[in-house]
Amino acid sequence: MIEHTPPGASNPQQAELARFTIGNLLEIQRHLQSLADLKQAVTIFSNKGNSFIVTRLLAVDADTQQLLFACSADEHANRQLLASERNVLISAPAGIKMQFICGPAEEVDYQGRRALAMAVPERLIRLQRREFFRINTPPIKPVWCRLPDPPGRLLPLFDISLGGLSLTLAADQHDWLHDGEQLDKVQIELPETGLLQIGLEILHVMPVLGAIGHEHYRAGCVFVGMTLAQETMVQRYITHLERERRALVR
């Protein structure tokens, strides 16, 4: 997980993150309100990252400066969160990673139901990673990414762009990839295009709550060492997907 930049930090990565850190209260509230409006899944890591819940932001109370979250169905996880003094919250609306740190949570009543309340954070990190047009790959005909080590591990692509791709991991596969990890050479068989062999850097691995409540993970990756020939191959595949999508619409 990315941590907030401490005052006077000299680490280059932390200095880079400072560019994406928002400290204006009204702007923070605006971004958090968008999470509530979109009903976007939010992961709350508690107890120094040893436990987490996947929930949704119900409301941003500007009067009390509180965030209200739905309780987890897992009562043990709720109790762990309520006992935690410092919590890291992560979400990715429209693929843009958002992270912030909150203090202790308390259980409250919100519109007649139990909820979890935390103070609005002082800072928020919002990483814009959408430099390239992305297109989803067809779920009924998955495109598979073969990981180099250990051999035999396959993960389906969720989307792809000229800059990178996202991979979908089942709940029991979340430890296959880690933030900041670099893979020297993965193999992706792009339909109507050919075999792409390329390096990947894992930007983040995040829990995602599916439409019917099933939890899985999404790994956001960027291409490493892409050649012009490989870029042409990816562009050709994206064009193929666009052509197929337009044909379905017609």
Side-chain angles (χ1 to χ4, degrees), residues 21-85:
T21 301
I22 300 168
N24 180 276
L25 177 60
L26 292 179
E27 193 174 354
I28 290 172
Q29 290 177 339
R30 181 171 61 82
H31 287 301
L32 293 174
Q33 185 60 54
S34 72
L35 290 183
D37 294 341
L38 292 169
K39 297 181 171 56
Q40 179 73 33
V42 179
T43 304
I44 305 177
F45 293 90
S46 57
N47 297 308
K48 299 180 180 179
N50 292 316
S51 58
F52 72 89
I53 67 169
V54 179
T55 181
R56 297 190 190 281
L57 178 58
L58 301 174
V60 179
D61 192 326
D63 294 329
T64 63
Q65 292 298 302
Q66 283 189 319
L67 306 179
L68 299 165
F69 295 91
C71 288
S72 169
D74 185 339
E75 287 300 330
H76 177 65
N78 287 331
R79 289 194 298 271
Q80 287 183 307
L81 173 57
L82 290 168
S84 179
E85 295 184 356

Side-chain angles (χ1 to χ4, degrees), residues 173-215:
Q173 298 172 335
H174 72 277
D175 60 347
W176 283 16
L177 300 173
H178 303 90
D179 291 13
E181 181 180 4
Q182 287 208 10
L183 305 178
D184 289 337
K185 189 179 290 186
V186 302
Q187 295 183 342
I188 307 167
E189 188 67 49
L190 298 175
E192 307 294 326
T193 306
L195 179 65
L196 176 67
Q197 298 187 75
I198 195 167
L200 288 181
E201 179 181 351
I202 314 303
L203 294 178
H204 54 75
V205 181
M206 298 179 58
V208 176
L209 196 61
I212 55 176
H214 292 311
E215 184 181 315

Side-chain angles (χ1 to χ4, degrees), residues 33 38-39 41 100 110 119 144-145 154 167-168 189 228:
Q33 185 60 54
L38 292 169
K39 297 181 171 56
F100 51 98
Y110 175 69
W144 297 96
C145 174
L154 295 171
L167 299 170
T168 300
E189 188 67 49
L228 181 59

Side-chain angles (χ1 to χ4, degrees), residues 82-176:
L82 290 168
S84 179
E85 295 184 356
R86 180 177 181 275
N87 306 292
V88 180
L89 295 84
I90 297 177
S91 189
I96 299 172
K97 187 173 182 180
M98 192 181 297
Q99 177 170 316
F100 51 98
I101 294 174
C102 288
E106 61 175 326
E107 187 173 317
V108 298
D109 178 84
Y110 175 69
Q111 297 183 347
R113 54 177 168 166
R114 294 168 60 214
L116 299 166
M118 284 183 269
V120 171
E122 295 181 358
R123 288 178 291 177
L124 182 148
I125 294 174
R126 187 172 181 271
L127 292 175
Q128 174 68 38
R129 299 287 188 184
R130 290 282 173 170
E131 294 89 351
F132 299 96
F133 168 73
R134 287 175 177 259
I135 186 168
N136 289 0
T137 55
I140 57 173
K141 292 181 181 179
V143 177
W144 297 96
C145 174
R146 185 181 300 276
L147 304 183
D149 185 35
R153 287 187 171 181
L154 295 171
L155 292 173
L157 270 65
F158 175 75
D159 62 23
I160 189 169
S161 76
L162 285 177
L165 50 81
S166 296
L167 299 170
T168 300
L169 297 87
D172 59 352
Q173 298 172 335
H174 72 277
D175 60 347
W176 283 16

